[in-house]
Amino acid sequence: MKLPYYPGCSGQGSSVEYERSTRAVCAALGITLEELPDWSCCGSTPAHAFDHVLSSALGARNLSIAAARGAERVATPCPSCLANLKAARARMENEEFRGKVNALLDAPCPENLPDAVSVLQVLVEDFGTDAIAAKVTKTLAGVKIAPYYGCLMSRPSDLMRFDDPENPMALDNLMSALGAEVVPYPLKTECCGAAMGIPRRDITARLTGRLLETARALGADAVVVACPLCHMNLDLRQEQAAKAAGTTFNMPVLYYTQFMGLALGLSSEELGLDKLCVSPAGLLQKIQNARAAAEAKAASEAAKAKQAAKAEEVSA
């Protein structure tokens, strides 16, 4: 499978581990990511909050690059990038709006721009969770994971057209395919504070503290995310959330591609686990212990079966 790919800005800096693990997992599954040449920022939060024409011009420029290469769709790992690219494509269907956008660009956009999809959507819908399960070499059995989707992955539903906007299940099903136990996480689509972590750290601390406290109360060993901004708030700012809640947290927060990589047998270095602020060492040890216990049980059962077969042979 070849996939036109828009990495986005955060993958080059604050979420480099997401970018690294996405590329590693796709390579392990035989998916070739064809990075768009000369791609640029899509505008993300600042641009669309300031000017929809400017924001759409940034997104449309990248979609035009994909169109020039004959792409029918472009995949991106970041929900914020995804929302901006999809919004730009939808707004460009208005001729008057398209004229305003084209006036900002070096060359006018084609009328038919490719669609944007998330890498998660491609993995779940195109590659398939059953096919992913068949590729698992090191099961995640023995750990409990709380799936956190955030606000953007499936909202607004008429624009994103992926999963259920109120009760999405893509991450749940994916983690189950890897062998993990998925806890019924009721806050899976609640806001983490998003970019409010810059102007109003207190708001983000309160919201993320609620998310982490609920995951812990449900017995989760870790939280899985698909968004760089959600990851930053839950991982990087976890101490701030703990202070606001008057407690302490030690909840590893991993990207779904990092969990996939572990199940596919990829190394910690390939997955960028050293970039996480909350150490996943305890989680990794629990996974290893569960695997060792399962292997020992299987070996014991095999030995008992062999002994029983031998005894039956002797009695015969």
Side-chain angles (χ1 to χ4, degrees), residues 50-295:
F50 173 72
D51 186 336
H52 284 173
V53 174
L54 172 60
S55 174
S56 296
L58 291 168
R61 177 188 180 276
N62 292 294
L63 294 176
S64 293
I65 293 173
R69 296 169 66 83
E72 295 183 357
R73 63 178 183 169
V74 179
T76 181
C78 173
S80 184
C81 293
L82 178 65
N84 266 27
L85 293 172
K86 279 184 170 292
R89 181 176 185 265
R91 289 173 182 146
M92 291 291 281
E93 293 177 1
N94 181 290
E95 186 175 351
E96 181 181 355
F97 188 90
R98 186 167 64 248
K100 294 178 181 179
V101 167
N102 286 336
L104 296 178
L105 301 174
D106 291 336
C109 295
E111 290 192 13
N112 296 316
L113 292 171
D115 192 12
V117 294
S118 68
V119 174
L120 175 62
Q121 184 172 358
V122 172
L123 292 174
V124 171
E125 294 185 352
D126 294 353
F127 198 89
T129 51
D130 288 342
I132 290 172
K135 295 282 187 178
V136 170
T137 60
K138 295 186 175 181
T139 177
L140 298 186
V143 297
K144 297 180 180 181
I145 300 176
Y148 178 62
Y149 296 76
C151 305
L152 286 175
M153 184 61 75
S154 58
R155 298 173 174 174
S157 58
D158 59 338
L159 180 68
M160 305 307 275
R161 300 193 302 278
F162 172 55
D163 217 333
D164 187 293
E166 299 302 327
N167 184 32
M169 291 298 294
L171 288 176
D172 295 61
N173 296 336
L174 184 54
M175 293 301 105
S176 294
L178 303 180
E181 179 181 344
V182 178
V183 302
Y185 192 53
L187 304 183
K188 60 169 66 177
T189 59
E190 295 295 311
C191 183
C192 67
M196 290 301 290
I198 298 174
R200 289 294 303 274
R201 192 168 63 183
D202 59 317
I203 293 177
T204 299
R206 186 171 68 252
L207 292 173
T208 53
R210 179 170 172 253
L211 295 171
L212 292 165
E213 182 60 52
T214 302
R216 181 170 65 182
L218 290 170
D221 298 304
V223 174
V224 61
V225 300
C227 171
L229 191 50
C230 293
H231 188 272
M232 180 181 292
N233 287 339
L234 290 168
D235 178 55
L236 176 64
R237 297 192 169 106
Q238 192 167 129
E239 286 190 12
Q240 296 172 14
K243 185 177 180 180
T247 185
T248 57
F249 294 119
N250 187 30
M251 180 68 68
V253 183
L254 277 67
Y255 289 104
Y256 75 90
T257 45
Q258 291 178 310
F259 272 123
M260 287 184 67
L262 290 172
L264 294 175
L266 302 181
S267 69
S268 296
E269 291 74 20
E270 291 176 283
L271 303 175
L273 294 181
D274 59 316
K275 298 295 183 181
L276 301 176
C277 293
V278 178
S279 173
L283 173 69
L284 297 179
Q285 187 60 55
K286 186 168 186 177
I287 293 174
Q288 185 175 336
N289 291 344
R291 288 173 183 164
E295 290 171 0

